[in-house]
Amino acid sequence: MSPEEGIFYVVAGITVIGALGVVLARNVVHSALFLILSLLAVAGVFVLLAAEFLAIVQVLVYGGAVTILVLFAMMLTRVRDMPRALNGPQWPLAAVAAGMIGGISIVAVLDTEWPGETDEATVVSIEEIGNLLFTNWAIPFEIASLVLIVALLGAIILARGEEGE
Amino acid sequence: MILGMIVGNVWLDALIRLGGVALLVPLYMIIITWTERKVIGRLQMRLGPMRVGPYGTLQGLADTIKLLTKEDLRPTTADRWVFELAPFAIVVPVIMALVALPFTADILIRNLTLGLFYIVALQGVSIVGFVMAGWGSDNKYALIGAARAAAQLISYEVPFILSILAVAMVASSLDIGVIVGMQGDTPLIAYLPLAFVIFVIAGLAELYRQPFDIPVAESEVVGGPFVEYSGIRWSMFQLGEFVSMVLISILGSLIFLGGWQWPVGGDVPVVVQIALMAVKTSAFILFFIWMRASLPRLRIDQMMAYCWQLLLPFAFLQIIINGLVLAYDWPHWTMTIMSLVALGAFVYVTNRAARQSGVTYQPSAASAQRVGSVL
């Protein structure tokens, strides 16, 4: 087993453990912390795929994002009140939907013709990413920032609402 | 032969490189703790530590022994794993960031093409550790401290990254080696004085040092996120703080002050390079210590307003200046002039705000009820 393979299995294992933790943890803050474990491990997978830029963006964005998530969890929930599982009457429907998505993913993975041995992976330079982002993909890029601005404005209006009266 | 074996084996190689960092960092921490206590003592017309060893030089060692042998307490109501893992979540990312930081042209652990970006990203991850410590301690002061820390770090990260982005624009690279190389005989502080000032102020805030020590303020939140920690875990928080300080100091000397080249050029012996870097880094560290001894703590609304209403717009202004100069190929000195003018405006507005806010601030009933105001 080459070192890369070894690292891959470690990182993939952490990703899966983290993801399972998000779902299985009874405590919402624990779930959020497992989420960052999983997301950071995904950054490790990106590094192995020679997508270093993506990996660093993953760390930068989700480090802050999960912190905010934990803060929300602390502010909006009372953790001590929820030691029991939250089962609503819709749980069979949810189980069917989740099972179907899981089944489709598994079938898709098994059905795909994976390219076997590849040549040396080429690292896409950050200059190339920048050029593509501002030429070919300028419109999606701008739309993404527009969506963020809308969300930001919404947050400001919600926070300022009481003062207007 | 042994050397060949080490370089050949990836695991051994990584282990030795990381081991080097792990050994050097605590040693450096002992020195820097002593320096800080001594300098602050002198600034306050005291002698500082004098008892242990000549001029108190062994005080750091004595403190280390004390901290290592102290009992490691955990409150019974604390969340066990979150509480115990929090110090690691702070220290590990910072040390990982240190790995990509070159000290001189040859003394480095790994130089990455995206090094600058990598360091900034990992430096931000340690906030998760603060939130974990605050929440896991099951202590209201720790929790409030953690919420403050999160708010402060996430806010000040934006101008911090933008000031570094200004450097990356001029250098057109994220490789720290290349950035130092292109500075040659004019360090980037000459072109980007505004970005440099923003970098230092935002850096100070990221380190939670005075005047930005709101999250860890002893008189308000009894030390903040680490109020419940003792012994070795407490010293890990301390370690994380000092390593961050060294990290930002080295980073600042590399990207703004010309690193190991300016002002003597690149072809100097390693000893001179080390001396240059040591002088520049120490200047940063002494500046941070000096600020700690001279400035009073900001209030939380002042801290937030300063970031979003002053630092951020001026950071954008620096980016726009850079964009104009670089896009139209104007000579670089025009950037210096525009940045200096903007810096003048920045200092003027800061000065005006500092002189009036304490007198006129009257929290309205509505703003006191807003969620943010509980911080």
Side-chain angles (χ1 to χ4, degrees):
Chain A
M1 193 160 67
S2 69
E4 287 84 2
E5 246 177 288
I7 295 173
F8 171 76
Y9 282 115
V10 171
V11 168
I14 298 175
T15 313
V16 173
I17 292 171
L20 282 176
V22 176
V23 188
L24 296 179
R26 285 288 163 86
N27 187 319
V28 67
V29 175
H30 289 174
S31 289
L33 292 174
F34 273 120
L35 182 64
I36 193 167
L37 184 72
S38 183
L39 291 171
L40 289 183
V42 170
V45 176
F46 285 149
V47 171
L48 288 175
L49 292 171
E52 289 165 7
F53 179 72
L54 203 57
I56 299 175
V57 169
Q58 174 100 357
V59 172
L60 184 68
V61 170
Y62 287 116
V66 169
T67 311
I68 297 287
L69 198 65
V70 174
L71 283 183
F72 276 142
M74 291 193 301
M75 283 180 190
L76 302 179
T77 64
R78 277 176 295 170
V79 172
R80 303 225 174 267
D81 296 350
M82 283 201 294
R84 64 208 146 71
L86 289 173
N87 272 342
Q90 299 146 342
W91 74 265
L93 284 177
V96 170
M100 269 170 64
I101 293 174
I104 291 170
S105 312
I106 291 170
V107 169
V109 168
L110 292 179
D111 226 35
T112 311
E113 286 280 324
W114 296 102
E117 297 283 311
T118 50
D119 303 331
E120 191 69 24
T122 48
V123 178
V124 182
S125 73
I126 186 162
E127 288 88 356
E128 248 173 278
I129 297 175
N131 273 335
L132 280 176
L133 208 56
F134 287 104
T135 53
N136 271 17
W137 305 98
I139 300 284
F141 182 73
E142 291 298 328
I143 289 177
S145 45
L146 199 69
V147 170
L148 285 178
I149 293 230
V150 170
L152 209 63
L153 283 178
I156 292 174
I157 289 169
L158 283 179
R160 289 255 158 189
E162 301 153 32
E163 255 176 281
E165 282 117 45
Chain B
M1 193 194 82
I2 296 171
L3 199 71
M5 205 178 77
I6 289 170
V7 175
N9 188 320
V10 195
W11 301 109
L12 261 181
D13 186 52
L15 193 72
I16 285 174
R17 284 167 194 270
L18 284 174
V21 180
L23 276 180
L24 274 177
V25 161
L27 187 71
Y28 194 74
M29 182 196 166
I30 294 175
I31 298 171
I32 211 170
T33 326
W34 177 79
T35 317
E36 172 153 37
R37 292 184 59 179
K38 206 75 185 165
V39 170
I40 288 200
R42 299 306 309 191
L43 285 169
Q44 295 170 343
M45 301 192 60
R46 293 183 286 116
L47 289 173
M50 284 299 277
R51 300 277 169 177
V52 193
Y55 293 97
T57 35
L58 296 177
Q59 183 69 44
L61 199 65
D63 283 346
T64 314
I65 295 170
K66 185 201 84 175
L67 280 172
L68 291 184
T69 50
K70 218 171 159 180
E71 191 185 355
D72 185 17
L73 293 167
R74 176 164 55 82
T76 41
T77 52
D79 190 305
R80 177 158 183 210
W81 287 104
V82 177
F83 182 83
E84 293 198 344
L85 289 177
F88 294 94
I90 288 177
V91 170
V92 170
V94 187
I95 288 186
M96 275 175 76
L98 209 59
V99 164
L101 203 63
F103 195 70
T104 73
D106 303 308
I107 304 178
L108 50 91
I109 297 163
R110 270 266 185 274
N111 196 19
L112 305 174
T113 354
L114 297 175
L116 198 53
F117 193 28
Y118 169 87
I119 289 169
V120 171
L122 273 176
Q123 222 254 324
V125 172
S126 58
I127 179 59
V128 177
F130 276 92
V131 174
M132 279 169 78
W135 186 82
S137 302
D138 194 28
N139 176 312
K140 57 188 162 209
Y141 296 113
L143 190 60
I144 292 173
R148 287 176 163 195
Q152 178 168 328
L153 193 108
I154 286 171
S155 306
Y156 278 85
E157 212 171 28
V158 182
F160 188 73
I161 292 177
L162 285 177
S163 69
I164 290 176
L165 183 67
V167 170
M169 280 174 88
V170 178
S172 58
S173 172
L174 289 171
D175 186 329
I176 295 179
V178 175
I179 294 176
V180 173
M182 65 77 61
Q183 293 183 51
D185 44 355
T186 30
L188 278 174
I189 186 179
Y191 297 134
L192 308 164
L194 178 63
F196 176 72
V197 171
I198 293 174
F199 173 85
V200 172
I201 295 176
L204 210 56
E206 299 238 316
L207 294 172
Y208 307 122
R209 293 180 74 80
Q210 282 86 343
F212 296 105
D213 63 334
I214 300 150
V216 293
E218 267 141 27
S219 51
E220 295 172 21
V221 287
V222 218
F226 25 90
V227 54
E228 294 287 3
Y229 287 86
S230 66
I232 183 135
R233 286 182 206 279
W234 184 83
S235 61
M236 280 178 76
F237 284 105
Q238 222 44 21
L239 183 73
E241 189 186 306
F242 279 118
V243 177
S244 294
M245 185 160 87
V246 174
L247 187 82
I248 289 183
S249 303
I250 297 182
L251 190 63
S253 0
L254 286 173
I255 63 176
F256 282 108
L257 299 185
W260 55 82
Q261 284 199 356
W262 182 77
V264 290
D267 306 319
V268 284
V270 184
V271 187
V272 182
Q273 293 184 3
I274 294 176
L276 263 181
M277 277 303 288
V279 167
K280 289 172 183 173
T281 311
S282 310
F284 267 98
I285 293 176
L286 287 176
F287 176 79
F288 288 146
I289 296 177
W290 176 28
M291 284 302 109
R292 178 171 172 182
S294 355
L295 289 177
R297 186 183 307 131
L298 288 171
R299 230 174 28 225
I300 188 145
D301 59 303
Q302 294 172 328
M303 178 273 282
M304 277 301 187
Y306 189 63
C307 177
W308 293 105
Q309 296 175 7
L310 256 174
L311 280 186
L312 193 60
F314 276 98
F316 277 128
L317 188 61
Q318 177 73 70
I319 301 280
I320 292 169
I321 291 171
N322 282 2
L324 272 178
V325 173
L326 295 174
Y328 291 107
D329 266 334
W330 294 342
H332 272 30
W333 56 264
T334 52
M335 197 168 3
T336 311
I337 291 175
M338 283 193 270
S339 187
L340 271 179
V341 171
L343 181 61
F346 175 72
V347 171
Y348 171 72
V349 180
T350 307
N351 192 30
R352 215 186 53 171
R355 283 185 192 287
Q356 63 179 198
S357 65
V359 190
T360 55
Y361 178 73
Q362 288 287 341
S364 66
S367 76
Q369 281 168 6
R370 242 184 286 145
V371 182
S373 62
V374 300
L375 306 180

